[in-house]
């Protein structure tokens, strides 16, 4: 296996990828903020099915963090990430610094629609604007044929997919399944913030979603009750819940009686660590 090539400059990246394109190669892209876990690495392996050249990026994007959030202490583990990506057969790692992606103050943004002000957007104003802006910028630099995003960030996946469709971006958006620990906890870079005791509790977030999914499959359509039951249960066990919501998979709107393709989404905090998760349910 050839060693991964790491590039920090956007111009060099473009030149390198033009050569791939000229020789008829397809490019698959996995954007990340680093501190990679098995969820990212699974996407990186999956990317090989979509491209002859697999590109990953590591860039902690200041634009998607609110001032009180964890931008400064977001775990940066570059060497381990680089080795992990290499072991998954990633060909090129784009690792720009802030001056490369934001050489001047960013005045032009991608403003996502109202759907992005709900759920995560309601608790992290500006988050999806920051994500959509950097993803478009990365797409412009990499010009991938396919880009892979994990379903764990379900609303992010939807925002990116809609942006690609509405702005006619020539890229196929591919969704990767959430990778979970043995107790069901969705893998996330932020799990590293949990104390041992919180980590034991953290598995209950997924268990709660799974219980709602079971109940819906058994015919329960009282979504408000299912949501508030889980909210109360978590509340009693050290969690501070932002939301538990049953939505339509297609557009994350409230389901009607006839909707069958659903997703249960949640965000909740254990101490200062905010975890998100979701589970699709088809009935
Ligand atoms: O999911 C992430 O890691 C980030 O939001 C992304 C898509 C790399 C944009 O910064």
């Amino acid at each position: 296996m050839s060693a991964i090539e790491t590039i920090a400059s956007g111009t060099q990246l473009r030149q390198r990828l033009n050569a791939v394109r000229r020789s008829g190669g397809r490019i698959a892209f996995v954007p990340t903020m680093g501190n990679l876990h098995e969820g990212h690495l699974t996407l990186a392996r999956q990317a090989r099915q979509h491209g002859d050249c697999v590109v990953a990026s590591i860039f902690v994007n200041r634009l998607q963090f609110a001032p009180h959030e964890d931008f400064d202490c977001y775990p940066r583990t570059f060497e381990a990430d680089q080795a992990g990506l290499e072991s998954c057969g990633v060909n090129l790692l784009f690792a720009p610094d802030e001056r490369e992606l934001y050489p001047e103050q960013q005045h032009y943004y991608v403003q996502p629609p109202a759907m992005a002000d709900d759920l995560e957007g309601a608790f992290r104003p500006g988050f999806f604007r920051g994500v959509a802006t950097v993803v478009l910028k990365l797409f412009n630099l990499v010009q991938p044929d396919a880009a892979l995003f994990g379903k764990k960030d379900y609303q992010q996946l939807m925002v990116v997919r809609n942006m690609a469709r509405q702005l006619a971006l020539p890229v196929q958006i591919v969704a990767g399944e959430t990778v979970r620990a043995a107790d069901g906890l969705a893998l996330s870079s932020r799990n590293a913030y949990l104390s041992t005791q919180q980590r034991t509790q953290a598995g209950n977030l997924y268990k709660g979603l799974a219980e709602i999914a079971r109940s819906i499959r058994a015919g329960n359509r009282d979504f408000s009750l299912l949501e508030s039951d889980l909210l109360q249960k978590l509340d009693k066990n050290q969690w501070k819940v932002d939301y538990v919501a049953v939505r339509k998979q297609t557009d994350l709107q409230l389901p009607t009686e006839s909707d069958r393709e659903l997703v249960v989404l949640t965000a909740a905090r254990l101490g200062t660590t905010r975890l998100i998760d979701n589970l699709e349910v088809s009935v």
Side-chain angles (χ1 to χ4, degrees):
M1 187 188 63
S2 63
I4 193 167
E5 187 182 342
T6 300
I7 298 180
S9 137
T11 314
Q12 269 175 31
L13 178 79
R14 232 194 302 244
Q15 285 165 356
R16 180 70 182 72
L17 291 175
N18 280 341
V20 172
R21 259 180 237 103
R22 271 197 303 276
S23 62
R26 275 176 60 85
I27 294 161
F29 178 43
V30 184
T32 81
M33 296 206 302
N35 194 233
L36 305 182
H37 49 69
E38 194 47 39
H40 297 109
L41 299 182
T42 303
L43 283 182
R45 283 185 217 103
Q46 197 185 334
R48 178 57 64 204
Q49 298 160 25
H50 300 274
D52 311 290
C53 175
V54 175
V55 182
S57 64
I58 295 180
F59 180 67
V60 185
N61 174 37
R62 190 186 287 276
L63 279 196
Q64 68 191 73
F65 288 80
H68 66 276
E69 290 183 339
D70 54 345
F71 175 79
D72 287 326
C73 62
Y74 196 83
R76 287 153 172 92
T77 50
F78 186 77
E79 273 77 29
D81 294 344
Q82 194 180 33
L85 292 170
E86 177 164 305
S87 74
C88 295
V90 170
N91 305 102
L92 269 172
L93 169 57
F94 180 44
D97 65 16
E98 277 207 286
R99 275 161 313 179
E100 184 66 34
L101 274 207
Y102 300 123
E104 58 193 19
Q105 204 189 333
Q106 188 74 23
H107 294 300
Y108 287 77
Y109 292 93
V110 178
Q111 183 60 56
M115 173 270 265
D117 299 333
D118 192 16
L119 302 168
E120 278 306 281
F123 291 89
R124 304 185 70 189
F127 171 67
F128 288 118
R129 184 178 86 146
V131 168
T133 303
V134 80
V135 168
L136 181 62
K137 210 157 184 164
L138 290 167
F139 281 179
N140 285 335
L141 290 163
V142 176
Q143 299 185 11
D145 296 282
L148 291 89
F149 292 83
K151 279 192 192 176
K152 172 169 165 283
D153 297 293
Y154 208 86
Q155 199 178 4
Q156 166 173 285
L157 170 65
M158 193 138 296
V159 167
V160 169
R161 192 171 260 158
N162 289 349
M163 171 179 81
R165 194 185 62 245
Q166 288 229 325
L167 299 182
L169 306 181
V171 56
Q172 180 197 359
I173 305 299
V174 179
E177 294 302 325
T178 302
V179 179
R180 298 184 180 281
D183 65 348
L185 177 67
L187 299 193
S188 161
S189 302
R190 290 189 169 102
N191 293 352
Y193 299 151
L194 298 169
S195 68
T196 315
Q197 195 271 333
Q198 288 169 335
R199 176 61 194 84
T200 311
Q201 179 59 233
N204 289 329
L205 197 62
Y206 170 74
K207 291 190 184 97
L209 294 180
E211 222 170 275
I212 294 187
R214 259 195 307 278
S215 190
I216 294 175
R217 271 190 229 102
N220 191 341
R221 307 262 316 167
D222 190 344
F223 302 139
S224 307
L225 187 66
L226 291 170
E227 290 164 2
S228 60
D229 277 357
L230 177 57
L231 203 141
Q232 278 170 30
K233 200 184 283 173
L234 290 170
D235 242 22
K236 281 197 207 116
N237 286 288
Q238 311 167 36
W239 295 84
K240 293 267 168 299
V241 181
D242 284 346
Y243 59 85
V244 177
V246 180
R247 296 297 174 90
K248 290 197 277 180
Q249 281 176 26
T250 45
D251 55 9
L252 297 185
Q253 298 301 303
L254 292 172
T256 63
E257 245 334 286
S258 58
D259 286 311
R260 295 284 170 262
E261 305 293 312
L262 306 171
V263 55
V264 197
L265 306 110
T266 187
R269 271 165 293 135
L270 271 178
T272 53
T273 305
R274 187 171 183 278
L275 301 177
I276 64 171
D277 200 356
N278 66 79
L279 199 56
E280 292 178 321
V281 204
S282 298
V283 281

